[in-house]
């Protein structure tokens, strides 16, 4: 199994003492309330008050500044001491922010994940076991009667949509500047299919980065409508076309470009499908390619992460796909992607690592 150096160090040996291991086990058992208490202490302003104070605050001062009851403040402070997000001075009885509390309050990635898990996933996690057994997203049912979350994105409650797109865009956007350079400067792409293009955000970045680029977004009919509304009147929008396609329909072919196609782009897309489904998608992508066409797959492959924290977030994200997204996909390992590509008659030409917040770009060509 391929593992980056950081993951090899973290995942191949047990370094905790018995007491540390027991505490971690208890932390897991109380995980739901750890999450909600930590979210509450952020949302109710206690961590912000502590962050703004020079020498910390007493409980009475926190009550005064937040307007919360003494009971609410006491409960959250005591829980947060055990969680590790705040510290206490037993002499002055003042509370201060810990390093973990600072990250909970200020780290954008943590805040995006917090909102995503609360608004999108939290109720669905209750059905994780059933989803694993059935191979279907049983946790999605409390939002609507869809087979995948993608069919219902445009119908989700506004706050859920905001947190979903906030999560999706935060991670992909971080890699866009480097990705644009790779695609348009290193590989000189001018015609590109953006498969699973969603709201057209990447397509707009492409046409604004390269004045001669032409992009066709391939996605579900409802997503194409949303994309066209989103990009309307934006600079370069006239060089973006939409092509409605159900990518899960094995008979739905990619359009053929008469003057040849430079590239096919798939960003955070293949992780939305099972490996069998990925192979069918790649087979149809291959039919639209010639020997000079390159397929760019940008994914957060968990085994290639520079830091273990990133791998942790990614392997947890896999279970979102299980319980809510579709029931059968995940964040993949490099060897999984290589298997699918070879089955589809494609081969890896190069892999770019550590783009943005842990993305990799796999550049593929048609096998000889």
């Amino acid at each position: 199994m391929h593992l980056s150096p950081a993951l090899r160090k973290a995942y191949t040996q047990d370094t905790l003492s018995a007491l540390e291991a027991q505490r971690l086990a208890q932390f897991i058992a109380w995980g739901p309330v750890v999450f909600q208490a930590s979210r509450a202490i952020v949302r109710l302003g206690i961590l912000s008050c502590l962050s703004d104070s020079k020498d910390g605050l007493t409980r009475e001062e926190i009550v005064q500044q937040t307007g919360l009851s003494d009971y609410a403040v006491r409960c959250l402070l005591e829980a947060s001491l055990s969680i590790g997000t705040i510290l206490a001075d037993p002499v002055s009885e003042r509370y201060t922010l810990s390093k973990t509390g600072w990250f909970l309050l200020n780290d954008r990635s943590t805040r995006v994940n917090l909102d995503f898990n609360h608004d999108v996933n939290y109720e669905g996690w209750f059905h994780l076991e059933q989803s694993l057994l059935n191979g279907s997203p049983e946790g999605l049912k409390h939002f609507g009667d869809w087979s995948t979350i993608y069919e219902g994105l445009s119908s989700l409650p506004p706050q859920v949509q905001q947190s979903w797109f906030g999560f999706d865009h935060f991670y992909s956007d971080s890699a866009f500047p480097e990705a644009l350079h790779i695609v348009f400067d290193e590989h000189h792409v001018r015609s590109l299919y953006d498969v699973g293009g969603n709201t057209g955000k990447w397509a707009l970045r492409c046409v604004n980065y390269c004045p001669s680029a032409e992009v066709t977004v391939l996605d579900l009919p409802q997503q194409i409508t949303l994309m066209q509304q989103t990009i309307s009147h934006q600079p370069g929008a006239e060089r973006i076309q939409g092509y409605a396609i159900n990518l899960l329909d094995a008979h739905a072919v990619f359009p053929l470009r008469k003057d040849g196609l430079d590239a096919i782009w798939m960003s955070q897309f293949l992780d939305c499908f099972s490996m069998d489904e990925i192979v069918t998608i790649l087979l149809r992508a291959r039919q639209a390619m010639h020997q000079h066409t390159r397929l760019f797959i940008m994914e957060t492959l968990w085994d290639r992460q520079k830091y273990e924290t990133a791998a942790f977030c990614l392997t947890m994200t896999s279970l979102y796909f299980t319980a809510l997204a579709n029931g059968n996909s995940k964040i993949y390992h490099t060897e999984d992607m290589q298997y699918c590509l070879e089955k589809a008659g494609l081969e890896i030409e190069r892999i770019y690592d550590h783009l943005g917040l842990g993305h990799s770009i796999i550049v593929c060509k048609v096998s000889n």
Side-chain angles (χ1 to χ4, degrees), residues 176-177 180-181 184-185 189-190 192 199-215 230-240:
F176 277 177
L180 289 165
H181 172 72
F184 293 102
D185 298 332
V189 166
R190 294 299 176 265
L192 180 142
T199 60
K201 200 165 187 177
W202 166 254
L204 277 175
R205 295 287 292 267
C206 290
V207 296
N208 285 316
Y209 188 88
C210 178
S212 59
E214 297 180 2
V215 180
T230 302
I231 70 169
S232 178
H233 307 301
Q234 295 291 324
E238 70 279 1
R239 287 182 283 123
I240 300 175

Side-chain angles (χ1 to χ4, degrees), residues 19-36:
L19 284 176
E20 289 169 336
Q22 183 188 41
R23 190 187 192 285
L24 180 57
Q26 290 288 1
F27 202 87
I28 293 168
W30 289 97
V33 72
V34 168
F35 175 85
Q36 291 294 358

Side-chain angles (χ1 to χ4, degrees), residues 42 64 75 100 129 143 161 169 239 278 280 299 334 360:
V42 172
Q64 184 178 16
C75 285
T100 302
E129 183 178 347
F143 284 132
Q161 279 191 24
H169 290 166
R239 287 182 283 123
I278 290 172
T280 68
E299 289 286 349
T334 305
S360 296

Side-chain angles (χ1 to χ4, degrees), residues 38 41-43 46-53 85 96-114 170:
S38 299
I41 203 169
V42 172
R43 297 272 297 180
I46 294 176
L47 289 193
S48 293
C49 289
L50 294 177
S51 179
D52 293 339
S53 66
T85 50
T96 56
L97 212 59
S98 70
K99 292 185 183 75
T100 302
W102 187 93
F103 278 102
L104 183 64
L105 181 64
N106 296 295
D107 180 58
R108 192 176 169 212
S109 172
T110 301
R111 295 295 294 273
V112 165
N113 291 342
L114 201 70
F170 174 74

